[in-house]
Amino acid sequence: MTTAALASTFIDLATLEPGEDLADLAPLEAVIGAARVVAIGESTHYCHEFYQLRHRLTRFLVERLGFTAVAFESGFPEAWLVDDWIGGGPGDVADVAERGFTYLFGRCAEMRELLAWLRALNGGRQDPVRCYGIDLPASCGSLRPALRGVESFLASADPPLVPRLGRLRELASSFVAADPASDSEARAALRAYCALRKSDRDELTGLLADLSARFQAARLDYIQSAGQPGYDVARQQLRVAVQLDAWFRDYAAAAAGEHAFFDVNIRDAAMAETTEWILERSERLVILAHNLHIQRTPYGLTWLGTGDEPASASSLGHHLSARLGAEYLAIGTTFAAGEVIGIDEGDGDTKGWDVKDVVRPLGPAGTDVIDGLLAAVHGDTH
């Protein structure tokens, strides 16, 4: 693609400020069309400008195009606290964001501003905008948030079962992140899981399977006792616990040399299934997540592959594109240069284990990539 061809498709934005007039975004309506799911990406997390832009785009999608729900790259169980708060529930936005988001997202001032806007918006709406997390619990660091939701439901639907879940609770508590919002702590939990005896890991998987079978077999009784909505949420809580257990098992098998790391992507497949669950309840959905998750193609990550060959595994957007076709639209974001938060994947024996977020300076991109082409057309001030 040439700079001239790229420039011919540009829409200049008047501002990134979320609260300003949305008239300059009007040309996007034709691009979005009848899409049911619009995913807004970020090429790096925790970036002020990306969060401003996605707040503004979310406003446009909700206020002008009638989108009815917003989903975050954050834990499914935790996000119910956020959904309750934006619907008028009690609490302080800082505390709700801290406890209701994983991966440290709740500590971002821009995230709290987005939640405050959603709460104010819902105060004047008959049908409130809903908020969901589509990711696995505790930054992929613990099954406990999901299992707490399941037990809370069972306290009403099947009280005698709750005491019988003691062994499941014990096993799930034997590997947990010290800070469930932190990705680096989740890696510590992963190490603890891999250190468990294989018999304990297998027992945990078996107990989750038994509980899932009971939920299916007792479905009608549970719905009669505690209602359809409560059952649906608890069943999905259990489903994400099972998916996270599968993610742990897969990683442990890779660590033992049974297959390459990341030869499949359980996490993104789980996020796609949760997105489908949401679409059964919301007509049009905004997803806010990293560019890698929302892209319509599989991942291609060299550092997770073997040798010089990148790993290729389906992303969330790859799944959604296959299932929704033109009803799925991904909007990626990029930048010219500056300081960004990226991943340090570790070296040698720690590679893939001691993943940390680090600040890195990035120089100008070349014109052989889209970032450089955009910078060449519009310069560093855009």
Side-chain angles (χ1 to χ4, degrees):
M1 179 179 287
T2 65
T3 55
L6 191 61
S8 68
T9 66
F10 271 21
I11 300 169
D12 280 325
L13 300 185
T15 179
L16 293 181
E17 290 298 327
E20 294 297 320
D21 187 83
L22 299 173
D24 57 332
L25 295 176
L28 280 178
E29 184 170 356
V31 176
I32 292 162
R36 284 195 68 197
V37 178
V38 172
I40 305 170
E42 55 198 47
S43 53
T44 181
H45 290 318
Y46 319 115
C47 178
H48 172 69
E49 290 81 3
F50 289 157
Y51 286 3
Q52 277 191 309
L53 176 61
R54 76 181 194 181
H55 184 162
R56 195 156 183 262
L57 290 174
T58 301
R59 259 194 71 210
F60 178 77
L61 292 168
V62 170
E63 293 181 2
R64 299 291 178 88
L65 302 186
F67 278 68
T68 55
V70 181
F72 295 86
E73 179 191 338
S74 187
F76 177 82
E78 293 88 346
W80 291 103
L81 177 64
V82 178
D83 182 65
D84 179 67
W85 189 80
I86 68 167
D92 170 76
V93 65
D95 178 64
V96 167
E98 177 76 18
R99 294 189 294 122
F101 285 121
T102 54
Y103 295 108
L104 304 178
F105 295 137
R107 300 178 190 179
C108 299
E110 299 85 358
M111 187 74 80
R112 297 172 185 180
E113 291 168 6
L114 176 58
L115 296 188
W117 167 73
L118 284 168
R119 181 179 171 97
L121 178 78
N122 281 340
R125 290 172 66 100
Q126 184 175 357
D127 297 316
V129 175
R130 301 299 301 273
C131 177
Y132 298 96
I134 57 171
D135 212 338
L136 297 174
S139 308
C140 293
S142 173
L143 277 64
R144 294 195 303 182
L147 294 179
R148 280 195 293 267
V150 173
E151 285 195 34
S152 177
F153 171 79
L154 290 173
S156 298
D158 193 353
L161 181 61
V162 176
R164 292 160 50 192
L165 299 178
R167 179 59 176 161
L168 177 59
R169 284 191 295 271
E170 178 186 355
L171 288 168
S173 298
S174 62
F175 58 99
V176 294
D179 180 355
S182 170
D183 183 55
S184 60
E185 290 294 337
R187 296 290 164 162
L190 181 55
R191 280 183 178 274
Y193 174 85
C194 290
L196 293 176
R197 293 177 302 180
K198 185 177 183 299
S199 59
D200 286 341
R201 300 199 301 262
D202 291 345
E203 184 182 4
L204 173 60
T205 300
L207 290 171
L208 288 169
D210 290 345
L211 186 55
S212 297
R214 185 179 182 90
F215 255 77
Q216 185 61 33
R219 174 177 172 272
L220 297 179
D221 291 335
Y222 284 180
I223 290 171
Q224 184 176 9
S225 298
Q228 182 80 55
Y231 174 84
D232 289 344
V233 171
R235 185 68 187 87
Q236 185 62 19
Q237 299 265 33
L238 180 54
R239 189 172 289 115
V240 298
V242 169
Q243 290 164 338
L244 180 54
D245 177 67
W247 183 87
F248 275 112
R249 289 183 69 87
D250 179 72
Y251 216 106
E258 296 177 22
H259 60 75
F261 284 102
F262 216 66
D263 62 343
V264 294
N265 187 354
I266 291 173
R267 180 185 170 202
D268 279 56
M271 288 197 285
E273 289 188 16
T274 297
T275 299
E276 289 193 338
W277 184 89
I278 295 167
L279 288 175
E280 294 173 1
R281 293 153 180 84
S282 295
E283 184 60 31
R284 303 186 84 182
L285 175 66
V286 184
I287 293 177
L288 306 177
H290 196 284
N291 284 350
L292 280 173
H293 292 301
I294 71 167
Q295 65 188 30
R296 301 176 73 98
T297 55
Y299 281 48
L301 301 178
T302 2
W303 65 272
L304 287 172
T306 55
D308 295 327
E309 291 298 316
S312 178
S314 291
S315 62
L316 164 66
H318 191 212
H319 286 288
L320 295 181
S321 177
R323 298 176 191 184
L324 297 173
E327 290 190 326
Y328 175 69
L329 176 69
I331 300 176
T333 58
T334 186
F335 58 97
E339 285 191 339
V340 299
I341 293 179
I343 291 177
D344 178 356
E345 67 273 16
D347 297 309
D349 293 339
T350 67
K351 186 175 182 180
W353 288 95
D354 292 336
V355 174
K356 297 180 178 65
D357 292 324
V358 294
V359 177
R360 289 198 180 104
L362 290 183
T367 54
D368 57 335
V369 294
I370 190 68
D371 316 69
L373 280 175
L374 289 167
V377 172
H378 257 307
D380 293 337
T381 59
H382 289 73

